[in-house]
Amino acid sequence: MAIFQARTWLSRSFSTLSSHPLRVCVVGSGPAGFYTAEKMLKAHQEAQVDIIDRLPTPFGLVRSGVAPDHPETKIVINQFSRVARHDRCSFFGNVTLGSSVSLLELRELYHVVVLAYGAESDRALGIPGEDLVGIHSAREFVWWYNGHPDCKNLDLDLKNTDTAVILGQGNVALDVARILLRPATELATTDIASHALAALEESSIRKVYLVGRRGPVQAACTAKELREVLGIKDLCIHLQEADLLKTPKDEEEIKNNRIQRRVYELLSKAATTGPSHPRSGQRELHFVFFRKPDRFLESDERRGHVSGVHFEKTVLKDVGDGKRVAVGTGQFEDLECGMVLKSIGYKSVPVDGLPFDHQKGVVPNIRGRVLHDTSGDPTLLEEGLYVCGWLKRGPTGIIATNLYCAEETVVSISEDLNLLASKASLPKPGREGLLHLLDNRKVKFVQFSAWEKIDSTETRLGSLKNKPREKLTTWEELLKVARE
Amino acid sequence: MLVSKVSRAGILMLRGLSRGKLTPITRAGYIQRPYGQYLQPWFERQTETKVFQGSIFLKHHSFSTTTTANASEEGSEKEETISVTFVDKDGEEQHIKVPIGMSMLEAAHENDIELEGACEGSLACSTCHVIVMDMEYYNKLEDPADEENDMLDLAFGLTETSRLGCQVIAKPELDGIRLAIPAATRNFAVDGYVPKPH
């Protein structure tokens, strides 16, 4: 006890002796936020780092994006938890940028604000029929099966059709296909949300199409995920051999790219092992290439519902710089289906007071330093404001990509702070100021210890069902347990 | 026999501590001096860094552990440990002893070497990526399995002699192996760097 008191006294006197401890706020508690916080704590020994998130639960897409049957990918949560428990770090859940606190207020409270809140919206196709019932973004579907409280009540009907069309062939598309096609019994022992498991157990979907605008050489998925989906028990894989023909340009693309080479090899092996005659009721996965969605077709029997997708066949065309894009050929083809999942990319959402490049869907920045506008002028910087993760780079990459992204942003911050040190920098209210503001606004923030209550409740409930956890999937439940 | 071994270890630890090289870190993250007192981390800037590293890059419970006395003991039996050199992105070298059977990732963490291990050795990430600096040693390793290759696909700064640190297990033939930790900020894309054979 005496040691603890001595420590607190020492740390306080150390703080007053030093020239104003650095106050940092990270907005977003996914990989970008946590890697940034970890590196800031390490690079600045007196820095106090606060991480805010609009959800009561931390970890961003590690919790709400990584598929339930990929538990090893979630192990990084252990590292992030150690950061959150660091004595110079505090987590504030249920605090929303824009409503609980504005960007302007954060910049007044903290010396450094790093926005790492990712991409919570979707790219749109902008084609007719996109509003038909039965068409969803993959992001919504993923949030639904992962128990994200914003998608608990997603209007999903897995019983009206036997066919789903997925637009896109990246890893998210493969995840979604796999969750639709895996036997529900295999999913029952994962941390999948119980409402999703129940729906999947009654699902009538037996055929899934994964449709890409370009060819197998350009498929955006990676080997591990492809291997996994090709290995699903009792699943019949369909691939047109003709699609696998490679042009000299394709050969060159493959030669220089290990990922694409190995993906192509897996796809060609799948085509040659070919489908035997499918037994009735056996599930099917079709890889369709060189098809671009032109419009969605509306059902005659169920008005307002999607009944298929009208595709235009494509070829790859050289557009200079070694790049090739898919262009329409004027030939069309329809695929019947009762459900469409668009897996064509996420998109970030701007907030008041934040410069935003609507074309690229990111915050204009140079190495993480936020720029005043999209002109590209590097001298017009928003002082003290930084970005990291998808908000900075666009919605691509893996969890580890944020490791390097955070390092770059933290280097930029440190360089800027070194420059500032030569002029006197004012103290900022930091955490105390934030607490005061949240208290005035009656915001019921969720501290990390409160998340730990949610965590142990979910784990305990999960153990009753042979699952690693049973997620709480409504705002009410989450906040209630947090406040116990 | 045991007494002389312990006192030898003790003398080595004291010598190491006075040189500032050895800072045995307990799981709690505090510096433990041989005489058993716990020091306030705030007093020593240099050691605070090590404490911080110890607390952030914490030893993982799932890994087997060696005692620090074993790791620091010089003149170790060759059959029990091998010499491994880690070269960090700034070119700084760290020479450690790794018990036979331990992975390079575990060994790095036991010795506070900054090697990420997001998935803690479950072949679900590429953050423990290391570059085997000598082709001769690279060839002594067993070929990577499909699962490791799948993860290597995604590693940053991939080279022809890249491996995942969690899959390189210490064996006698690897004594003297040198492993480079790739520079993080160099690039976001897989590049074709080829190491020069030694």
Side-chain angles (χ1 to χ4, degrees):
Chain A
M1 193 56 195
I3 292 176
F4 175 79
Q5 284 170 342
R7 265 175 58 186
T8 326
W9 177 83
L10 279 167
S11 70
R12 266 200 224 118
S13 57
F14 191 90
S15 303
T16 50
L17 285 175
S18 75
S19 52
H20 324 303
L22 182 65
R23 313 280 195 173
V24 181
C25 183
V26 176
V27 179
S29 65
F34 266 107
Y35 279 132
T36 299
E38 185 176 49
K39 289 170 192 298
M40 280 304 293
L41 286 166
K42 182 161 177 231
H44 300 269
Q45 293 295 322
E46 306 103 53
Q48 196 190 58
V49 179
D50 294 341
I51 306 174
I52 70 172
D53 197 293
R54 73 173 180 90
L55 286 183
T57 57
F59 312 129
L61 285 172
V62 182
R63 174 175 163 98
S64 65
V66 175
D69 55 352
H70 287 170
E72 310 80 19
T73 308
K74 305 190 200 199
I75 290 176
V76 71
I77 281 178
N78 296 342
Q79 180 176 352
F80 295 161
S81 298
R82 288 195 290 276
V83 176
R85 292 184 200 120
H86 189 278
D87 44 21
R88 286 184 283 121
C89 186
S90 276
F91 171 75
F92 293 90
N94 198 33
V95 175
T96 304
L97 178 64
S99 53
S100 315
V101 58
S102 73
L103 181 58
L104 189 58
E105 284 165 339
L106 282 182
R107 292 177 75 183
E108 285 167 358
L109 290 171
Y110 293 90
H111 296 105
V112 171
V113 175
V114 185
L115 301 177
Y117 64 73
E120 293 198 319
S121 179
D122 311 295
R123 281 182 67 203
L125 284 164
I127 62 176
E130 207 163 349
D131 298 331
L132 289 169
V133 173
I135 301 176
H136 301 274
S137 73
R139 173 188 61 88
E140 292 171 308
F141 185 68
V142 170
W143 271 6
W144 172 78
Y145 64 63
N146 275 331
H148 191 294
D150 287 352
C151 277
K152 162 116 189 200
N153 299 318
L154 193 63
D155 178 25
L156 261 179
D157 187 353
L158 301 178
K159 292 194 279 196
N160 84 69
T161 183
D162 69 349
T163 305
V165 166
I166 300 172
L167 301 172
Q169 294 170 332
N171 285 338
V172 177
L174 259 57
D175 269 0
V176 158
R178 192 179 71 250
I179 297 297
L180 284 171
L181 291 169
R182 273 191 87 168
T185 46
E186 291 178 14
L187 296 172
T189 51
T190 68
D191 65 2
I192 193 170
S194 51
H195 57 254
L197 183 62
L200 288 164
E201 279 166 349
E202 310 215 314
S203 162
S204 54
I205 293 179
R206 294 290 173 271
K207 242 192 304 193
V208 172
Y209 290 86
L210 277 165
V211 184
R213 287 173 306 174
R214 298 178 294 170
V217 169
Q218 292 79 31
C221 56
T222 54
K224 171 180 181 250
E225 285 73 14
L226 188 53
R227 204 188 295 281
E228 193 182 2
V229 87
L230 295 174
I232 294 176
K233 208 174 68 159
D234 288 337
L235 181 67
C236 206
I237 310 289
H238 293 255
L239 249 162
Q240 301 275 18
E241 288 240 28
D243 285 336
L244 287 164
L245 289 167
K246 281 179 284 176
T247 65
K249 288 241 159 68
D250 285 332
E251 298 276 6
E252 201 173 310
E253 229 182 286
I254 277 193
K255 200 176 67 160
N256 297 329
N257 193 308
R258 180 186 149 125
I259 294 178
Q260 274 165 263
R261 183 169 65 245
R262 297 180 78 242
V263 164
Y264 177 84
E265 276 163 15
L266 281 167
L267 286 170
S268 25
K269 213 162 37 168
T272 54
T273 36
S276 46
H277 297 286
R279 304 188 298 279
S280 72
Q282 189 180 27
R283 299 178 181 203
E284 297 169 25
L285 177 63
H286 298 247
F287 284 87
V288 176
F289 299 99
F290 303 107
R291 298 288 183 275
K292 182 171 91 158
D294 181 72
R295 67 175 192 276
F296 296 103
L297 305 168
E298 187 178 349
S299 164
D300 292 322
E301 297 86 46
R302 302 174 78 210
R303 300 305 291 166
H305 283 251
V306 71
S307 66
V309 188
H310 188 63
F311 286 103
E312 188 176 7
K313 298 187 186 179
T314 67
V315 287
L316 292 178
K317 185 175 150 197
D318 227 325
V319 288
D321 265 343
K323 288 199 180 143
R324 290 185 291 163
V325 296
V327 291
T329 58
Q331 289 182 292
F332 294 85
E333 194 178 81
D334 287 348
L335 266 182
E336 273 181 36
C337 66
M339 183 161 101
V340 177
L341 292 170
K342 297 179 287 180
S343 187
I344 60 172
Y346 290 60
K347 198 165 77 175
S348 290
V349 180
V351 296
D352 270 349
L354 180 63
F356 198 77
D357 183 334
H358 290 272
Q359 206 230 347
K360 293 184 188 160
V362 296
V363 170
N365 73 92
I366 290 183
R367 304 180 75 87
R369 293 177 174 99
V370 175
L371 296 169
H372 182 64
D373 57 34
T374 55
S375 67
D377 186 341
T379 62
L380 295 173
L381 292 172
E382 292 287 323
E383 194 179 299
L385 188 59
Y386 302 83
V387 280
C388 185
W390 282 4
L391 190 58
K392 169 183 169 193
R393 300 178 283 105
T396 59
I398 54 176
I399 291 174
T401 314
N402 295 291
L403 193 53
Y404 310 107
C405 188
E407 189 150 323
E408 184 185 64
T409 295
V410 170
V411 163
S412 296
I413 295 172
S414 305
E415 285 172 356
D416 294 350
L417 287 171
N418 272 339
L419 289 175
L420 271 181
S422 45
K423 352 176 192 155
S425 74
L426 298 166
K428 294 260 190 175
R431 192 175 298 161
E432 287 78 50
L434 181 66
L435 286 167
H436 188 74
L437 182 151
L438 294 176
D439 188 46
N440 281 348
R441 296 213 176 122
K442 311 260 185 286
V443 174
K444 305 275 187 280
F445 60 87
V446 174
Q447 294 188 298
F448 200 72
S449 52
W451 146 250
E452 286 172 326
K453 285 188 230 160
I454 296 172
D455 187 24
S456 57
T457 302
E458 290 184 343
T459 310
R460 183 176 47 82
L461 291 172
S463 67
L464 301 172
K465 294 188 186 177
N466 202 18
K467 298 170 77 168
R469 72 173 61 240
E470 180 58 64
K471 285 184 182 171
L472 300 177
T473 57
T474 65
W475 284 92
E476 295 74 29
E477 284 176 309
L478 288 163
L479 291 172
K480 177 165 163 288
V481 172
R483 313 268 300 285
E484 270 168 11
Chain B
M1 206 60 59
L2 179 64
V3 172
S4 64
K5 216 173 185 176
V6 166
S7 55
R8 201 163 127 239
I11 289 166
L12 284 166
M13 280 171 78
L14 279 168
R15 224 186 270 157
L17 284 166
S18 64
R19 271 181 296 188
K21 283 195 178 176
L22 246 195
T23 46
I25 311 279
T26 66
R27 281 182 188 279
Y30 291 99
I31 306 287
Q32 185 176 14
R33 303 292 186 194
Y35 46 89
Q37 277 180 327
Y38 290 84
L39 286 181
Q40 308 300 333
W42 284 270
F43 283 119
E44 280 148 276
R45 300 279 273 162
Q46 194 206 357
T47 54
E48 190 197 335
T49 316
K50 284 220 178 278
V51 169
F52 178 88
Q53 281 180 353
S55 58
I56 289 293
F57 306 106
L58 203 57
K59 323 288 174 265
H60 303 294
H61 298 289
S62 54
F63 296 159
S64 64
T65 55
T66 56
T67 61
T68 48
N70 219 6
S72 65
E73 209 168 349
E74 285 158 24
S76 55
E77 302 85 318
K78 286 259 165 181
E79 301 88 72
E80 283 184 4
T81 70
I82 59 166
S83 293
V84 174
T85 302
F86 276 94
V87 182
D88 75 14
K89 58 186 187 216
D90 301 314
E92 283 194 38
E93 296 189 359
Q94 273 173 280
H95 306 282
I96 62 169
K97 294 270 183 255
V98 182
I100 304 292
M102 183 182 274
S103 79
M104 294 299 130
L105 176 61
E106 272 183 67
H109 286 183
E110 292 278 319
N111 291 275
D112 292 318
I113 291 167
E114 278 183 40
L115 186 61
E116 290 278 339
C119 76
E120 296 178 8
S122 7
L123 275 178
C125 77
S126 53
T127 61
C128 69
H129 168 215
V130 291
I131 299 168
V132 183
M133 295 175 74
D134 308 290
M135 192 63 81
E136 190 197 318
Y137 281 102
Y138 178 76
N139 291 332
K140 291 186 186 172
L141 297 171
E142 275 159 41
D143 282 344
D146 276 343
E147 290 77 14
E148 185 181 347
N149 269 325
D150 287 350
M151 292 302 109
L152 280 170
D153 280 355
L154 310 167
F156 291 85
L158 188 72
T159 72
E160 283 176 21
T161 57
S162 285
R163 292 298 300 264
L164 294 184
C166 64
Q167 301 302 302
V168 178
I169 310 298
K171 56 185 184 182
E173 305 93 298
L174 299 180
D175 187 37
I177 192 171
R178 292 172 353 117
L179 302 170
I181 299 174
T185 48
R186 192 152 48 98
N187 54 48
F188 279 88
V190 171
D191 79 17
Y193 163 70
V194 177
K196 295 180 187 27
H198 278 52

